């Protein structure tokens, strides 16, 4: 350990724990020592996690804090268990988001990407990435994340970019990547195609127009219902269900399109729902995905009526130049004036929006690049069905299967400039398309080549993350050692975006699943269950929390509330509670250190220990705790692991064992004192190891001050349970003892007795063995219940003159009237007088209309709570006074 850290070790521990003085110091030490770095090591079993790469220019939010805290819990424990543990970090280039930010900056300067050109634009993007990229990495370090920073990757670094091109070329050569015209989800604002799972659907209250189309020969009217009358400009058919007897006679006839006069056929197709509208639908192959499929089945013309900006083009006739909503109004107005609209109904339906800018998506026919999914999806489905990859909680498998069973070909081209450019070149002379691993200089025919302007979907490169980051496509030792990874920790909302794609790409290119477990985290909500959002004003900034309470408090809170399969409800009060837990740990450890001066654990080897009931009990509880924490951590149930640690440290260790140990630590018998010291040190040192994955900073700070072996808690061995120390008899006796003491404490509280006021009590054992328990451990009872004596009785003459309680087969009695209680009664009366004046002051403020009108709602709420608390305290004190005075 460096001298600057060593000088702080020992018993001179500050009275209060200050995270700011501890966290940066120890993180720098861990990094300097290289504890987080993993290497290929044939003597150790590997354990691997790849971080879900955050956006390179992003900033830490609570979702990151939860996800990465859970990953660090796993990684730190495995490292202590002796695995060669790799937590591989990195960031994602996030093409759409990053490009959008730079485009907004250009707009503020009065220009755009087209005016400055592609090369200059990409220079601006990289400048932005260089300036703001890496912020989130620094913030993850503030959280205490023990990633292997020597292996940090970026989805557009040289190695990942080479892997992306290799995958594209191989899939193209295998016939699994193709180019074609297809209906895509088009964002008119981002001016790019987005995949199905990047579309967010929202229920919208719209209208359903019933429009008349006339048959060509007879002029007979037929009616179709539509939610988008403007798209009729691209209609190329009217369709009915072949089993709908109402319209069978119309199949094969020709209808005339209103407004434009185009002749279109009436066709029959099973897709048509006879229950929707009139049972007849307009078919617009270029602007509806279902109509597109129907059009392909029937060989219909595909007429695109929109520009990329969703403005009507020349195919829209007189409506050319209008945006889609202006065109809708104009079309409806003209249809109404010509009496083509029979009726209009309100209609609620789901409308797709761009997940980035929230613009309404336009189904758009364009030439794009696609991955053929059926062949790739089938092995990925089998892998989960056969249990080679499991989801935790298991219910998320259904979400995975629902998407995979109904998967459509993946549109991977994006009309952006930032990202992995598609490695395809077009020859202007012979029309050949060249897809190459290296940039070609010319076509074999001698013609000039022009590269495809589009880039790949960000999720294409992210889908390679588990193996591209380990050196693929090169045959390097890391791939064989660290792949497949052990577990993926991810949010449920990217099971489609990311998890499924890593599955089928990993299986296809590595021959094995990319991870054994997928641990799906929940959504963080506020304490009332509302989703956190800036507009709701309920967002908690994790960096502000760390500044105020420390990283350990935030980490432990997130672990404590992260119940698998449930949303996480977080409030600042809960974080404050974890900060109190830090203080509890610190104060108990400070007590221990003050009483361990000169103590050497090694000197106790070979010596016989004089273990008391409290010693046997706490050692038994510790070893049960080790097994409990192991069980919950293996099941990814960190909430229960944290709960068990909290209850053991706060209640068992601090509130009971530390207090009981004082009887011998402050005594004169050196053997008894040494035994108490040894057990105190053992339990504290082992508990710190168990707490370390959850609270790494405070545990390292304390552990370094304790007598210990090794350089750091980071690499200290994880505790193993010792069945020989599990003592059911001791646990049973201590449970009974604690129940009896707690009962006496409760009676004292109800009587309003000061904690430091010693009293006499009576005990009536009602179960076999209880008298012996009380007599054998009388010192425990008198010290912990603040008694002058605890007398064994067969009964009492006047039960009404005692406060009585029953616990663990023992009835206890405290006299209601005795010498010395009059002083307690006077104290209670003085406290009631003080509270009455305080309540009058609160009431006066709350009766002031001016105060109620001007004060913030939160201030008014606090004043009302103070008044209610004062009234409740007075009520309790009057009850206590009545008991004392009879």
């Amino acid at each position: 350990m460096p001298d600057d850290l060593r000088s702080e070790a020992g018993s001179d521990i500050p009275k209060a724990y200050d995270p700011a003085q501890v966290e940066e110091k120890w993180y720098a030490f861990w990094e300097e020592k290289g504890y987080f770095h993993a290497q290929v090591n044939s003597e150790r079993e590997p354990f691997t996690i790849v971080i879900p790469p955050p956006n390179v220019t992003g900033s830490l939010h609570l979702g990151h804090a939860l996800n990465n805290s859970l990953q660090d819990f796993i990684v730190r424990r495995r490292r202590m268990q002796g695995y060669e543990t790799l937590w591989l970090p990195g960031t994602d280039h996030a093409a759409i988001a990053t490009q959008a930010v730079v485009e907004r900056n250009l707009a503020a300067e009065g220009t755009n990407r087209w005016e400055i050109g592609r090369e200059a634009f990409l220079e601006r993007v990289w400048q932005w990435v260089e300036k703001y990229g890496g912020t989130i990495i620094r913030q993850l370090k503030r959280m205490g994340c023990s990633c292997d920073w020597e292996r940090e990757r970026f989805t557009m670094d040289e190695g990942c970019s080479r892997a992306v091109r290799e995958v594209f070329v191989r899939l193209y050569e295998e016939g699994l990547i193709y180019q074609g015209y297809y209906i895509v989800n088009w964002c008119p604002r981002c001016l790019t195609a987005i995949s199905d799972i990047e579309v967010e659907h929202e229920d919208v209250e719209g209208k359903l127009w019933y429009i008349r189309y006339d048959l060509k020969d007879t002029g007979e009217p037929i009616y179709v219902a539509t939610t988008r009358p403007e798209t009729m400009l691209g209609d190329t058919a009217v369709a009915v269900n072949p089993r709908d007897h109402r319209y069978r006679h119309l199949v094969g006839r020709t209808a005339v399109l209103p407004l434009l006069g185009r002749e279109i056929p009436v066709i029959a197709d099973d897709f048509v729902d006879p229950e929707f509208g009139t049972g007849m639908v307009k078919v617009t192959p270029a602007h509806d995905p279902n109509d597109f499929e129907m059009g392909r089945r029937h060989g219909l013309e595909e007429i695109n009526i929109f520009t990329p900006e969703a403005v009507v083009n020349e195919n829209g006739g007189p409506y050319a130049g209008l945006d889609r909503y202006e065109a809708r109004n104009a079309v409806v107005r003209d249809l109404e004036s010509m009496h083509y609209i029979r009726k209009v109904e309100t209609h609620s339906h789901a409308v797709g929006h761009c997940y980035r800018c929230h613009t309404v998506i336009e189904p758009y026919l364009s030439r794009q690049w696609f991955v053929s999914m059926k062949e790739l999806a089938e092995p990925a489905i089998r892998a989960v069905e056969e249990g080679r990859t499991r989801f935790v909680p298991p219910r998320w498998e259904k979400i995975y299967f629902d998407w995979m069973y109904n998967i459509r070909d993946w549109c991977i081209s994006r009309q952006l400039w930032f990202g992995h450019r598609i490695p395809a070149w077009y020859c202007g002379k012979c029309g050949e398309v060249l897809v190459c691993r290296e940039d070609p200089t010319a076509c074999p025919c001698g013609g000039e080549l022009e590269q495809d302007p589009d880039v790949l979907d960000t999720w294409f490169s992210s889908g390679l993350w588990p193996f591209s980051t380990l050196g693929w496509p090169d045959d390097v030792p890391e791939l064989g050692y660290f792949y497949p990874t052990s577990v993926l920790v991810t949010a449920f909302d990217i099971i489609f975006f990311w998890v499924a794609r890593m599955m089928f790409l990993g299986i296809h290119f590595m021959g094995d699943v990319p991870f054994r477990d997928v641990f799906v985290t929940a959504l963080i909500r506020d304490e009332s269950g509302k989703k956190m959002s800036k507009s709701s004003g309920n967002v908690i900034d994790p960096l502000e929390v760390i500044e105020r309470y420390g990283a350990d408090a935030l980490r432990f809170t997130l672990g404590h509330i992260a119940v698998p399969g449930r949303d996480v409800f977080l409030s600042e009060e809960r974080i404050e509670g974890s900060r109190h837990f830090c203080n509890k740990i610190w104060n108990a450890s400070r007590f221990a250190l003050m009483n361990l001066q000169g103590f050497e654990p090694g000197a106790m080897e070979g010596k016989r220990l004089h273990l008391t009931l409290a010693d046997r009990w706490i050692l038994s509880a510790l070893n049960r705790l080790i097994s409990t924490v192991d069980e919950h951590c293996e099941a990814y149930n960190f909430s229960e692991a944290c709960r068990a640690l909290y209850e053991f440290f706060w209640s068992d260790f601090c509130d009971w064992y530390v207090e009981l140990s004082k009887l011998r630590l402050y005594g004169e018998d050196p053997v008894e004192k040494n035994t108490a010291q040894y057990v105190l040190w053992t339990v504290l040192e082992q508990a710190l190891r168990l707490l370390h994955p959850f609270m790494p900073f405070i545990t390292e700070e304390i552990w370094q001050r304790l007598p210990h072996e090794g350089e750091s808690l980071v690499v200290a061995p994880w505790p193993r349970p010792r069945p020989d120390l599990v003592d059911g008899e001791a646990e049973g006796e201590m449970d009974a003892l604690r129940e009896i003491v707690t009962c006496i404490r409760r009676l004292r509280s109800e009587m309003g007795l000061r904690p430091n006021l010693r009293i006499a009590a009576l005990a009536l054992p009602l179960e076999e063995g209880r008298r012996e328990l009380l007599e054998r451990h009388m010192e425990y009872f008198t010290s912990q219940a603040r008694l002058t004596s605890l007398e064994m009785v067969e009964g009492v003459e006047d039960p009404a003159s005692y406060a009585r309680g029953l616990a663990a087969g023992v009835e206890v009695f405290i006299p209601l009237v005795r010498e010395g209680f009059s002083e307690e009664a006077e104290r209670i009366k003085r406290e009631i007088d003080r509270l009455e004046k305080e309540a009058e002051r609160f009431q006066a403020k709350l009766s002031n209309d001016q105060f109620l009108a001007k004060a913030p709602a939160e201030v008014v709420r606090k004043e009302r709570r103070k008044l209610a608390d004062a009234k409740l305290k007075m009520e309790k004190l009057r009850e206590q006074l009545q008991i004392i005075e009879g």
Side-chain angles (χ1 to χ4, degrees):
M1 186 168 61
D3 291 340
D4 60 332
L5 299 182
R6 191 182 303 278
S7 63
E8 296 181 14
S11 61
D12 186 22
I13 183 169
K15 289 184 178 180
Y17 174 60
D18 182 2
Q21 298 296 317
V22 168
E23 293 174 358
E24 185 177 349
K25 171 186 71 176
W26 287 119
Y27 201 91
F29 171 67
W30 297 332
E31 280 201 285
E32 179 187 335
K33 300 296 288 187
Y35 293 140
F36 305 158
H37 182 57
Q39 294 180 325
V40 175
N41 185 345
S42 60
E43 296 181 1
R44 284 188 175 186
E45 184 178 346
F47 186 90
T48 315
I49 294 182
V50 290
I51 198 170
N55 291 0
V56 64
T57 57
S59 179
L60 189 75
H61 59 62
L62 272 177
H64 295 128
L66 171 65
N67 186 282
N68 287 283
S69 292
L70 296 175
Q71 289 180 81
D72 205 34
F73 299 164
I74 296 169
V75 165
R76 285 181 179 271
R77 175 171 171 267
R78 292 302 189 195
R79 187 181 290 118
M80 294 174 74
Q81 287 180 317
Y83 290 85
E84 189 67 25
T85 306
L86 170 62
W87 184 11
L88 197 150
T91 50
D92 189 274
H93 63 283
I96 292 179
T98 305
Q99 176 160 324
V101 172
V102 177
E103 290 204 67
R104 282 198 296 271
N105 293 343
L106 290 175
E109 299 169 14
T111 186
N112 56 54
R113 60 169 160 145
W114 293 279
E115 288 184 3
I116 68 172
R118 186 168 191 143
E119 187 174 340
F121 177 76
L122 289 175
E123 284 182 14
R124 289 289 298 267
V125 174
W126 284 110
Q127 288 170 10
W128 173 264
V129 169
E130 187 175 341
K131 183 176 181 180
Y132 294 101
T135 296
I136 197 166
I137 296 298
R138 292 188 291 274
Q139 293 168 339
L140 288 173
K141 291 183 179 183
R142 285 289 309 277
M143 286 282 300
C145 294
S146 59
C147 300
D148 186 346
W149 301 112
E150 294 179 44
R151 295 183 182 272
E152 182 183 343
R153 301 300 300 269
F154 176 48
T155 50
M156 286 191 69
D157 67 26
E158 183 179 351
C160 287
S161 297
R162 191 160 68 89
V164 166
R165 181 171 287 200
E166 180 65 27
V167 166
F168 186 96
V169 173
R170 284 198 199 179
L171 290 176
Y172 181 80
E173 291 172 345
E174 294 170 17
L176 294 174
I177 281 184
Y178 65 92
Q179 194 177 24
Y181 282 96
Y182 207 82
I183 282 282
V184 295
N185 304 296
W186 184 265
C187 177
R189 186 172 183 272
C190 296
L191 294 177
T192 184
I194 62 175
S195 66
D196 291 344
I197 54 177
E198 293 169 310
V199 178
E200 294 180 345
H201 292 276
E202 296 179 7
D203 287 333
V204 173
E205 191 73 21
K207 293 181 180 179
L208 189 64
W209 285 269
Y210 288 76
I211 304 173
R212 189 185 92 224
Y213 287 43
D214 295 334
L215 294 177
K216 176 184 177 185
D217 298 331
T218 64
E220 178 186 349
I222 57 176
Y223 294 91
V224 301
T226 180
T227 59
R228 300 193 63 199
E230 71 278 8
T231 62
M232 67 182 296
L233 303 174
D235 284 1
T236 56
V238 171
V240 301
N241 191 293
R243 288 179 295 280
D244 192 337
H245 66 276
R246 295 173 297 172
Y247 304 127
R248 287 177 183 168
H249 66 288
L250 297 177
V251 177
R253 304 276 295 276
T254 299
V256 178
L257 182 66
L259 305 181
L260 296 184
R262 183 186 305 129
E263 295 182 1
I264 57 177
V266 179
I267 62 173
D269 195 279
D270 287 325
F271 175 77
V272 179
D273 179 5
E275 302 299 320
F276 177 77
T278 64
M280 304 182 75
V281 296
K282 55 191 282 305
V283 183
T284 318
H287 296 288
D288 183 277
N290 297 314
D291 290 5
F292 174 79
E293 298 291 349
M294 202 185 311
R296 288 288 170 98
R297 287 194 291 271
H298 295 272
L300 300 178
E301 185 181 3
E302 297 161 350
I303 302 176
N304 182 9
I305 64 167
F306 290 128
T307 68
E309 295 81 11
V311 172
V312 177
N313 62 21
E314 67 279 2
N315 292 328
Y319 304 97
L322 300 178
D323 77 25
R324 51 184 168 170
Y325 299 116
E326 292 172 338
R328 177 178 299 177
N329 294 333
V331 165
V332 169
R333 184 176 61 248
D334 290 347
L335 289 172
E336 286 176 336
S337 68
M338 300 168 70
H339 307 291
Y340 276 108
I341 294 182
R342 185 171 75 177
K343 64 176 179 178
V344 182
E345 296 175 344
T346 57
H347 180 69
S348 179
H349 61 123
V351 176
H353 292 73
C354 174
Y355 82 111
R356 282 294 180 190
C357 68
H358 215 61
T359 300
V360 173
I361 288 300
E362 187 62 48
Y364 192 69
L365 183 65
S366 65
R367 188 170 178 81
Q368 302 286 345
W369 289 90
F370 296 87
V371 175
S372 181
M373 287 306 309
K374 184 174 176 56
E375 183 179 330
L376 292 170
E378 288 175 353
I381 292 171
R382 285 197 304 273
V384 176
E385 289 176 336
E386 295 168 359
R388 286 182 284 135
T389 292
R390 67 169 184 147
F391 280 79
V392 181
R395 65 186 177 91
W396 293 110
E397 288 183 5
K398 184 178 185 304
I399 308 297
Y400 174 84
F401 286 135
D402 284 348
W403 188 68
M404 293 292 273
Y405 287 141
N406 300 289
I407 201 163
R408 293 172 56 183
D409 285 358
W410 175 17
C411 176
I412 55 171
S413 46
R414 298 290 181 269
Q415 288 62 54
L416 304 170
W417 287 355
F418 180 57
H420 295 102
R421 195 165 177 181
I422 291 175
W425 287 261
Y426 306 101
C427 177
K429 182 177 179 182
C430 70
E432 184 69 24
V433 178
L434 302 180
V435 173
C436 310
R437 288 174 175 80
E438 303 294 336
D439 291 5
T441 55
C443 180
C445 76
E448 290 188 7
L449 294 173
E450 182 177 351
Q451 188 174 1
D452 193 303
D454 294 347
V455 301
L456 287 165
D457 179 6
T458 299
W459 298 103
F460 190 92
S461 53
S462 301
L464 316 181
W465 191 247
F467 56 94
S468 65
T469 52
L470 292 173
W472 191 92
D474 293 333
D475 185 14
V476 294
E478 283 80 359
L479 268 177
Y481 184 70
F482 290 114
Y483 187 97
T485 67
S486 307
V487 59
L488 176 76
V489 182
T490 187
F492 69 90
D493 55 349
I494 55 174
I495 290 176
F496 316 128
F497 284 103
W498 193 42
V499 178
R501 286 163 176 168
M502 284 190 289
M503 283 291 289
F504 62 70
L505 288 168
I507 292 170
H508 189 77
F509 288 98
M510 292 295 297
D512 200 354
V513 295
F515 22 74
R516 301 303 184 196
D517 288 347
V518 179
F519 174 38
V520 182
T521 63
L523 180 70
I524 296 187
R525 298 182 181 275
D526 69 11
E527 57 189 321
S528 61
K530 294 180 181 177
K531 186 175 180 180
M532 289 190 177
S533 65
K534 291 181 181 178
S535 60
S536 299
N538 59 354
V539 170
I540 297 175
D541 184 342
L543 296 173
E544 290 181 5
V545 168
I546 291 172
E547 289 292 335
R548 193 174 304 125
Y549 302 109
D552 285 334
L554 175 59
R555 288 168 60 107
F556 193 79
T557 303
L558 293 172
H560 208 172
I561 63 179
V563 179
R566 297 187 198 168
D567 284 348
V568 173
F569 299 139
L570 181 65
S571 65
E572 195 155 326
E573 286 76 11
R574 299 198 74 152
I575 302 169
E576 191 172 2
S578 293
R579 181 65 170 92
H580 293 326
F581 185 43
C582 289
N583 292 339
K584 189 82 168 180
I585 295 169
W586 186 262
N587 291 335
S589 301
R590 187 170 182 270
F591 165 82
L593 285 164
M594 291 171 64
N595 286 278
L596 290 175
Q597 293 185 45
F599 172 73
E600 291 292 338
M604 299 296 291
E605 289 184 16
K607 290 186 178 181
R608 187 182 173 192
L609 298 176
H610 293 255
L611 297 178
T612 63
L613 171 64
D615 295 332
R616 290 162 49 215
W617 163 72
I618 197 67
L619 290 170
S620 181
L622 171 67
N623 281 276
R624 286 195 190 276
L625 175 70
I626 295 169
S627 297
T628 297
V629 171
D630 278 340
E631 178 185 346
H632 291 312
C633 285
E634 291 298 323
Y636 303 106
N637 193 343
F638 300 108
S639 175
E640 285 299 306
C642 288
R643 185 187 63 79
L645 286 164
Y646 180 91
E647 290 179 357
F648 173 83
F649 206 100
W650 190 294
S651 178
D652 294 353
F653 183 65
C654 295
D655 289 352
W656 289 96
Y657 185 75
V658 165
E659 294 303 315
L660 291 171
S661 71
K662 293 175 182 178
L663 298 174
R664 289 174 298 156
L665 291 172
Y666 298 162
E668 299 299 325
D669 188 329
V671 175
E672 292 294 334
K673 181 176 181 179
N674 281 347
T675 299
Q677 286 179 315
Y678 181 78
V679 175
L680 183 68
W681 168 79
T682 298
V683 175
L684 176 58
E685 201 268 353
Q686 292 287 291
L688 290 173
R689 295 188 191 215
L690 293 172
L691 279 164
H692 178 73
F694 306 93
M695 310 175 88
F697 295 109
I698 190 172
T699 53
E700 183 77 86
E701 176 72 12
I702 296 167
W703 188 83
Q704 292 285 357
R705 295 172 182 274
L706 281 173
H708 65 268
E709 291 183 359
E711 287 187 334
S712 171
L713 198 49
V714 171
V715 289
W718 180 255
R720 292 185 177 183
R722 286 184 54 185
D724 60 302
L725 291 178
V726 175
D727 189 333
E729 181 182 346
E731 290 178 8
E733 289 191 3
M734 271 300 298
D735 285 346
L737 186 151
R738 292 199 294 173
E739 285 183 40
I740 296 166
V741 169
T742 300
C743 177
I744 297 173
R745 288 173 176 175
R746 186 180 69 252
L747 291 175
R748 292 177 57 109
S749 175
E750 290 171 355
M751 295 172 68
L753 304 180
R754 293 194 313 277
N756 63 347
L757 179 65
R758 288 188 172 273
I759 60 171
L762 309 178
L764 173 60
L766 301 175
E767 291 182 8
E768 185 179 351
R770 286 300 183 241
R771 176 181 291 274
E772 291 76 9
L773 174 71
L774 293 169
E775 290 175 344
R776 193 163 61 248
H777 303 294
M778 184 61 69
E779 192 177 20
Y780 285 0
F781 290 103
T782 55
S783 65
Q784 300 309 301
R786 304 295 291 172
L787 302 177
T788 55
S789 64
L790 180 62
E791 181 184 351
M792 303 295 149
V793 297
E794 299 297 329
V796 293
E797 292 183 1
D798 183 14
S801 63
Y802 294 90
R804 303 163 62 187
L806 180 65
V810 174
E811 190 170 14
V812 294
F813 303 85
I814 298 177
L816 290 175
V817 180
R818 62 177 295 277
E819 187 178 349
F821 277 22
S822 58
E823 180 183 332
E824 187 68 13
E826 290 303 316
R827 184 191 68 80
I828 292 174
K829 289 176 182 177
R830 289 194 300 272
E831 181 65 10
I832 290 173
D833 288 342
R834 186 188 69 79
L835 287 169
E836 283 178 339
K837 293 174 183 176
E838 200 172 73
E840 288 173 4
R841 191 168 67 254
F842 294 144
Q843 187 63 62
K845 188 179 288 188
L846 291 167
S847 300
N848 186 327
D849 293 338
Q850 193 172 10
F851 168 75
L852 296 175
K854 292 183 177 180
E858 179 63 20
V859 172
V860 174
R861 188 172 68 84
K862 285 182 179 178
E863 292 297 313
R864 287 188 174 131
R865 188 168 64 233
K866 288 178 184 177
L867 176 61
D869 288 346
K871 288 181 177 179
L872 181 61
K873 287 177 183 176
M874 284 190 287
E875 181 184 341
K876 293 296 181 184
L877 287 170
R878 290 187 178 109
E879 290 176 0
Q880 293 168 4
L881 188 61
Q882 187 176 4
I883 291 173
I884 290 175
E885 295 184 336

